[in-house]
Structures are given as C-alpha cells and as structure tokens.
Amino acid sequence: MHRAGHYPLSVAQYLRLREHIPPMYGLLLINAAVLAFTHRALAPALLVYSVPAILFAACVVRTAIWIRPVKPEELEPALVERRMRKTLAVAGVMAMAFVGWALWLDQYGGPYEHGHVAVFISVTVLGCVFCLGFLPNAAVVVCVSVLGTFLAYSLWNGTEVLIAIAGNIALVAVVILKILRASYGSFVELETSQRDLNCERKQAQALGEENARLAQTDALTGMPNRRYFFTTLESLLARPGQGDVFSVGLIDLDRFKPVNDTHGHANGDRLLQVIGGRMMSHCPADAIVARLGGDEFGLIVMGGPQQAERIANELCKAIREPARIGDVLVSVGCSAGLSVYPDTAVTADLLYDRADFALYHAKNHKRGQCVLFSDKLERMIRTEQAIDAALQGADLARELTLVFQPIVATEDLDPIGIECLARWHSPRLGEISPEMLIAAGERLGRAREVTLALFDKAMEALVRLPAPLRLSFNLSGNDIGNTGTIDALLARLDASGCDPRRMLIEITESSLIEEMDKAGAALERLRETGMRIALDDFGTGYSSLSSLHQLPLDMVKIDRSFAVRLDEAAGRRLITAIRHLARSLSLECVIEGIETENQLVSARLAGFSLAQGYFIARPMPLEDMLERLAQPGASMWAAAG
C-alpha cells in the first residue's frame, strides 16, 4: 500500500481518491439500480433498462480505471494533476447524467415514486460529496450541478413539499461542503507536516551518516582514524569464530620531525597527506590502514605474521619513496612493529601495546625495519617496571613541577587564562612524559597523590597570577571517577582561599566514555563551587557530540589536529561549523595547536575569539610566565617560538 506522506501533495491527494472513488461508483450503481427497479412497471423500458445500462457501463469503466494497480512512473505530479483535472470534468458530466435520468423518471409514478426520486438525488449526492472530499472542487461541481438542477426542477414544478426538500438538502450540502473543506485543509496540513518531517529525518540521517563518517576519518589525510582502528579491532575480537588469526601493526615515520622543522608544519602536513594517499593505494583488500595521530599509522591484517610483515614492508617501501612538496623533494623513512592474535595477546589493549613496544624496539635498535613482538621483547617490557619503581619511591612534592601556557584572545593576544601542564623529573630516570606519569600513577594506585600534588602547586600559582586570569587544570578519567579525589580537591580549593571562579577544569571525553553519568555528577559538584568545566581535545573522542549534551560544560577546546586545516577552505568550513555548534550551546570555544601566524589569522577570521598554541607561547615555568605577563600588550609573546 502506498504511503501518501512520502509523496508530493497532489500525489497524496490522488492516492486518497483511489481509496474513495470506487466505493462512490458502487453507491451510484446500487442506488440507481434500486430506483430503476421501483419504476420498472411505470416508466418506459428506455428509462428503466437502456439509459441505466449506459450509466452502469460508464461507472464500471471508471471503477476499473481507479482500482487498477498504479506503476511508480504514473505517480509523476504533472501526470497526476492531469488525471485529477479529468476527474473533475468527468464528475460534472456524470452528475448531470444521473440527475437528468432521475428527473426524467420523476415524470412517472405516484407520490411514493416521486419521493423515491427525491431521496435518490439527495442521498446519492451527499454520498458522492463525501467520497470526493479529497478533491473539493469536484465535490462542489457535483453538489452545485445536481442540487441546482433539482432545485430548479422543484421550483418549475411548483410543488411546495418538493421545493422544501430541495432547499433543505441544499442547506445540508452547504454545511457538509464547509466541513469537507476544513477536513481537506487538515489533510493538506498533515501531508505538509509529514513531508517536512520526512525531509528533516532524511537530513538528520544524512547528517548522522556524515558525522559518523567524519568521526571515523582523519581530518588531515582522509584515512580511517584512531577510533575506526580500535572499533575494527574490537569487532574482530568479538567475533565468535574459532581459529581466526590476524595481525596488528604500527608504523611510525623516521626523520619526519626535521621535515617539520626545516620546511614548516604546513609542508609536513602535506607530506602526511601524500604518504596517507600512498598507504591507502597500496593497502590490499584484506588489510586496514589508519592514521592514529601525528606520524603514527595503524595496520590490521587478516592473516598471520608472514603476511603482515609482507604488507607492512610494502607500505614502508611506498612511504620511503621521495615526495615533492611544492618545490622541495623530501623523503622519510619508517619503522614498524607487529603483534599477532592470538599468539601475542588476546585483548585489544595488549595487542596494541605489544605492537607499540615492537615499534619502539625497531626505532631504537632496528630503525627502518619491521619487528615482530617476541618473548624477548616481552622481557624488555619490564623496563616499565623501572618507571613504576621510580614513582613508587618518588618525592612527588619535589619531583613534580608545572609549566604554563597561555590561552589568549585572537584579536589582540591578550591572555584570558593559563593552562598548567605536569612535568616529572625523576632523579633516577630523568624526564618522564606526563602520559607515562599518569599511566604509572594509575597502575600503582598513586594517581590521586599525583593529582593532589600537582593541584597544590596549581593553587600556589593561581595566588601569584594576576586577576582575573583563569587557571586551567587537567583531570584524568581516574580523578573524575574517584569521589575521594574530588572531595580532596574541593577541600584544598577551599583552604587555599582562591576564588573558584578563576579555576577551569579540563577533561578529555575519551577518558570518561565508560562512566559518563558518574563523570557528569562529579563535574557538576566542581561546577557548583563556581569552577568552570572544559572538554579538551574536542573532535577526537568517541562520541563528542553526545558529550556536549551529557556533561555540564562551559567550554570546548578544539583538538590541535583541526588547526592544521585552517589553511584549507574545506577545513575552515568544518571548523566554523564546530564553532557554530559550540555557540548554539552557549559554550566558549578555544582552538588549540596554533603554530603559525596564518593559522592564527585564519582562526580569527573563522570567528574564534580564543586560541592556544606554540606560535603564541610554548609552555614555560611560572616565573617566566609572570615576567611575560608583566610586559605590555601583544609584545609579551613576541619572543614566543
């Protein structure tokens, strides 16, 4: 059955008529047959048999036309409108034919037969009017032609009862036509709203599909991104099949940093685009290659180590081919690490970690080669234990420090806030990255101690920073999920005497995805004190759009990977759309990763009022930051590199 709401109004109207016109002709046939029957002994055979037979044949033909199946190509609006104009004309002709025949029969018989004719005309015309409700013009034509003729006939005969009947029927018909007009108006309104709703649904579906595609596509290279990579890996592990073997690989570029430093980040991005295109073209159908971030790429091969090594080496060979970037010919190398399911590991995290360690070993000991994770490499993982041991005995108050990076207004580079970033210098191991610090803290159960030690230093810095500058402090998912950590943070904030409104808590959505409701409640506690909440690295999480609605946020910080696209028209349109989304939700918006003057200008032109990045200033100690802030205007960042 056709669903009218999926068609233009004229087609929907036509489909409704197809349901009502055949019963109308059935009504005509039955009523006319009964009228002819009651006059069979009184009127000539011509009026009782011949004329009705012609009218009956016309009704049957029209009924057959309306009940036959309709082909899709026959539902073109122009064709349908022609058919309805034809229906209007046929309605007038059929109406005059039937009323003429009925009034001709009225010349014969007594009072009962005359009454039957009047009933036939009135009942039949009202029934036809109802059946033609979805074609109001036809209903009016039938009503006016039949009742007008009947009223004129009654006045000509001069019979008071007949005149009263005709007049009464005419009044009833007027009321019915008015009701039908209102009903038709409701039908039109309903069809219009249904079409609008269908249109909105299609647009929403298209937007959802596009968002889903973008969410799994790397913005710079157009390759599948980190999310797609891990989603695919998890789906492979969830398959119930036995005996499946597949390999996970990581490929990292060698000598890529010098390209960035020598030729600029824009040319570095162009090189990544060229390399990404090569990898996609050389990747076979039984493998998936994705950009995981920076100059690191992920590989999933549906096969064992030999097949994975062959594909990884082919991709590395393609990567090493020289690439022309503008007027410059550059080349980079690459190293790869592989792990195999189920021999190496049976979980996504372990497969990735062990491929990553194999890659680490390749870059440090077999640069330019592909290394398969082995038992020997597994023993080397124990190096991680050295970090754990160093943190276990670390004097956090002495070894942990903070560096500070400004968030500025794009218009005049005036600072509106400062982000503090963790640093760990271990006396035993030297500089340890913040990521390794957080990971080790969570493994050892010292994550809360690390966070509180850093927060104490942040409070000390906030006291020295000039008002009304805000201080941004990063919390991990472990911090947000730990009620004791939240309690301790609030107690320390209260004891410090600092204005909570000058604190901005930054969280990354991917760290909260498993416990979004719990995270929302914890963030709401922080927000109630006056602190503000920012979603960091927006655009790289698992469900960034839904996070904007689920979490109590005041700000979003656009991930640095989007800043590199400010030099492209398509990139500017995408980033502008993100800004409009944030503005529609009354959220402040900061674009991170500004590394060139062109990017800063493009961000300003795209409507971003706040920015952060190396072009403005690199992270620096508090004393340096205070010295910079003491300088006037934009000159405070003049020495930024």
Side-chain angles (χ1 to χ4, degrees), residues 99-115:
V99 74
W101 170 68
L103 294 179
W104 195 356
L105 275 180
D106 194 54
Q107 306 303 312
Y108 304 93
Y112 289 112
E113 287 74 21
H114 295 319

Side-chain angles (χ1 to χ4, degrees), residues 95-321:
M96 293 306 298
F98 271 95
V99 74
W101 170 68
L103 294 179
W104 195 356
L105 275 180
D106 194 54
Q107 306 303 312
Y108 304 93
Y112 289 112
E113 287 74 21
H114 295 319
H116 188 186
V117 170
V119 170
F120 167 78
I121 292 174
S122 58
V123 171
T124 304
V125 74
L126 294 180
C128 291
V129 165
F130 273 111
C131 291
L132 293 170
F134 290 102
L135 190 58
N137 291 340
V140 171
V141 166
V142 169
C143 192
V144 171
S145 58
V146 171
L147 295 183
T149 302
F150 184 42
L151 184 58
Y153 174 79
S154 301
L155 292 172
W156 180 74
N157 274 342
T159 306
E160 292 181 354
V161 174
L162 200 57
I163 293 172
I165 292 174
N168 192 19
I169 294 301
L171 290 175
V172 172
V174 168
V175 174
I176 290 176
L177 286 176
K178 181 177 178 60
I179 294 173
L180 288 179
R181 279 285 183 182
S183 176
Y184 178 73
S186 299
F187 161 74
V188 171
E189 184 178 347
L190 177 62
E191 289 297 323
T192 302
S193 64
Q194 285 180 337
R195 281 200 312 279
D196 292 343
L197 179 59
N198 288 331
C199 182
E200 291 176 1
R201 284 176 177 170
K202 290 178 181 178
Q203 291 175 347
Q205 181 180 0
L207 181 60
E209 292 172 353
E210 179 64 10
N211 285 337
R213 186 189 67 80
L214 290 175
Q216 300 191 79
T217 303
D218 177 61
L220 178 64
T221 63
M223 302 173 69
N225 63 6
R226 188 182 190 89
R227 178 185 181 184
Y228 181 86
F229 178 84
F230 280 101
T231 299
T232 303
L233 183 54
E234 293 286 359
S235 66
L236 288 174
L237 293 171
R239 294 194 312 191
Q242 297 294 324
D244 288 342
V245 176
F246 64 87
S247 303
V248 174
L250 295 178
I251 299 174
D252 192 81
L253 303 186
D254 299 327
R255 305 187 307 276
F256 178 72
K257 186 177 184 300
V259 174
N260 263 344
D261 295 341
T262 304
H263 303 292
H265 289 282
N267 282 327
D269 290 341
R270 293 189 184 97
L271 178 59
L272 288 174
Q273 291 172 337
V274 171
I275 289 174
R278 289 179 183 174
M279 296 181 75
M280 291 290 288
S281 63
H282 284 78
C283 185
D286 59 347
I288 294 170
V289 64
R291 183 181 179 224
L292 303 184
D295 58 350
E296 185 179 67
F297 300 86
L299 176 67
I300 298 177
V301 178
M302 300 308 300
Q306 293 182 345
Q307 184 179 358
E309 282 191 84
R310 176 179 58 80
I311 293 174
N313 285 324
E314 289 176 359
L315 293 176
C316 289
K317 181 180 178 181
I319 290 171
R320 296 187 188 104
E321 291 291 329

Side-chain angles (χ1 to χ4, degrees), residues 520-565:
L523 294 175
E524 194 63 60
R525 285 186 63 197
L526 297 174
R527 203 163 180 249
E528 287 172 356
T529 68
M531 286 192 280
R532 308 180 73 194
I533 309 298
L535 182 65
D536 198 10
D537 299 336
F538 179 76
T540 62
Y542 294 93
S543 56
S544 293
L545 292 178
S546 63
S547 299
L548 296 183
H549 296 280
Q550 294 183 48
L551 298 174
L553 300 175
D554 302 286
M555 175 187 287
V556 292
K557 300 184 73 175
I558 309 303
D559 184 68
R560 61 183 297 113
S561 61
F562 289 92
V564 299
R565 301 199 64 189

